[in-house]
Amino acid sequence: MTSSLALSLVTFVYLGCSVLYLFYLVFKSETVGKLATWASIGGLALNTYGLVKRWVESYEMGIGHAPLSNLYESLVFFAWAIMVLYLLMEWKYQHRSIGVFATPFAFFTMAYASFSTSVDSKIQPLIPALKSNWLIAHVLTCFLGYAGFAVACGLSLMYLIWGKRRREGKGPLSFIPDGATLEEISYKMILIGFLLLSAGIITGSVWAHSAWGTYWSWDPKETWSLITWLVYATLLHARFMKGWSGNRVAFLSVVGFVCVLFTYFGVNFLLSGLHSYAAG
């Protein structure tokens, strides 16, 4: 099976996972919940196969680079990272209902990679600026961090809905974890994402110095990465020093992930700069 076919199938598997988790939440069926978990594990395995196979194919073509060099490959890795973090979280906390908010991020990411006409899925030679091992470290840390923020955003949305449910008193959302659990898991996801994003900015600076001769150039991607970092730094500072909790932290988490999305997509398509190669 080619990497292209495998990764196309992953899109539909993640769609199935999202639907199964929704059915699990609505009908409260443990059988459906277990099926959703196993489908997620299967999708992640196929996602992993697609990434590895694409890496092998690049060597067979005489190009030979890790599948982390353009928008398509970063989207595929982003979806993979979201599912890894989600499944680890499900395993640790035993709350499958969170999947209804987490797995759609992986599905939409793969759907955009697979079906958008603006995303080129071909394996292409690296431009000189990307021929650096620092690139791999930079992309790995950044996208694992983004995945942490994506899962935290899903948890925060659940928290905000949970508050509404609490006022209404009943409904299918009564099956989701209590607010304290959602806050705890969301905080851990944000902390993981923040540390990884910090590492990503540092490794990116080292890579920029080797590629362009400067550690920081206020390129739009760099500037928005800093803005994203500051939003999450503000959230953590407010939580630690000011005792913020509940809806305010959940709202900041959603705002932070909007900044992540703009840093990832908006900058690529709306603002030109040194990272313009990442738009294709």
Side-chain angles (χ1 to χ4, degrees):
M1 184 188 298
T2 65
S3 65
S4 179
L5 176 59
L7 293 172
S8 295
L9 292 174
V10 168
T11 306
F12 296 102
V13 175
Y14 287 163
L15 171 61
C17 295
S18 302
V19 173
L20 286 171
Y21 278 116
L22 178 62
F23 284 1
Y24 167 70
L25 184 66
V26 173
F27 298 110
K28 303 179 182 178
S29 167
E30 285 297 329
T31 301
V32 175
K34 290 178 181 177
L35 187 60
T37 299
W38 281 108
S40 297
I41 294 171
L44 177 61
L46 193 58
N47 200 156
T48 305
Y49 169 83
L51 280 167
V52 173
K53 182 65 175 175
R54 187 176 175 88
W55 198 342
V56 172
E57 289 171 353
S58 76
Y59 275 93
E60 291 173 346
M61 295 168 65
I63 297 173
H65 61 73
L68 300 167
S69 62
N70 58 28
L71 180 59
Y72 175 79
E73 292 171 346
S74 68
L75 286 166
V76 171
F77 181 75
F78 185 31
W80 179 88
I82 290 172
M83 292 305 291
V84 167
L85 284 181
Y86 167 69
L87 285 171
L88 286 173
M89 185 181 62
E90 182 184 308
W91 171 73
K92 179 173 176 58
Y93 292 96
Q94 297 295 308
H95 282 299
R96 288 196 177 94
S97 58
I98 296 171
V100 77
F101 283 83
T103 54
F105 284 118
F107 162 63
F108 285 118
T109 300
M110 286 302 301
Y112 182 62
S114 299
F115 304 124
S116 173
T117 56
S118 62
V119 179
D120 188 354
S121 62
K122 294 179 182 176
I123 300 174
Q124 298 174 337
L126 293 176
I127 63 175
L130 301 182
K131 293 179 180 178
S132 169
N133 289 331
W134 285 107
L135 168 70
I136 298 175
H138 173 60
V139 175
L140 284 175
T141 50
C142 278
F143 281 94
L144 284 170
Y146 287 176
F149 294 144
V151 176
C153 178
L155 290 161
S156 298
L157 290 172
M158 288 185 77
Y159 185 90
L160 293 170
I161 295 172
W162 173 83
K164 183 178 180 181
R165 180 195 64 80
R166 182 175 56 178
R167 289 192 292 274
E168 294 175 348
K170 57 183 180 181
L173 294 178
S174 61
F175 206 45
I176 68 176
D178 60 78
T181 302
L182 288 173
E183 274 199 284
E184 178 192 351
I185 305 173
S186 178
Y187 161 69
K188 290 180 177 177
M189 288 292 115
I190 290 171
L191 192 57
I192 290 171
F194 182 75
L195 293 174
L196 287 169
L197 178 61
S198 302
I201 291 174
I202 293 170
T203 54
S205 296
V206 176
W207 169 41
H209 184 263
S210 65
W212 301 303
T214 177
Y215 289 102
W216 193 268
S217 57
W218 294 106
D219 171 79
K221 180 77 78 176
E222 295 172 351
T223 303
W224 273 94
S225 293
L226 180 61
I227 291 171
T228 300
W229 187 89
L230 288 172
V231 169
Y232 284 106
T234 300
L235 184 157
L236 292 172
H237 175 79
R239 191 176 191 276
F240 281 128
M241 305 304 294
K242 302 293 182 181
W244 279 27
S245 62
N247 287 346
R248 289 189 295 184
V249 172
F251 180 73
L252 260 184
S253 172
V254 175
V255 171
F257 191 62
V258 171
C259 290
V260 169
L261 293 177
F262 188 81
T263 302
Y264 191 9
F265 299 107
V267 170
N268 286 347
F269 296 111
L270 300 177
L271 303 172
S272 63
L274 294 172
H275 290 76
S276 297
Y277 57 83

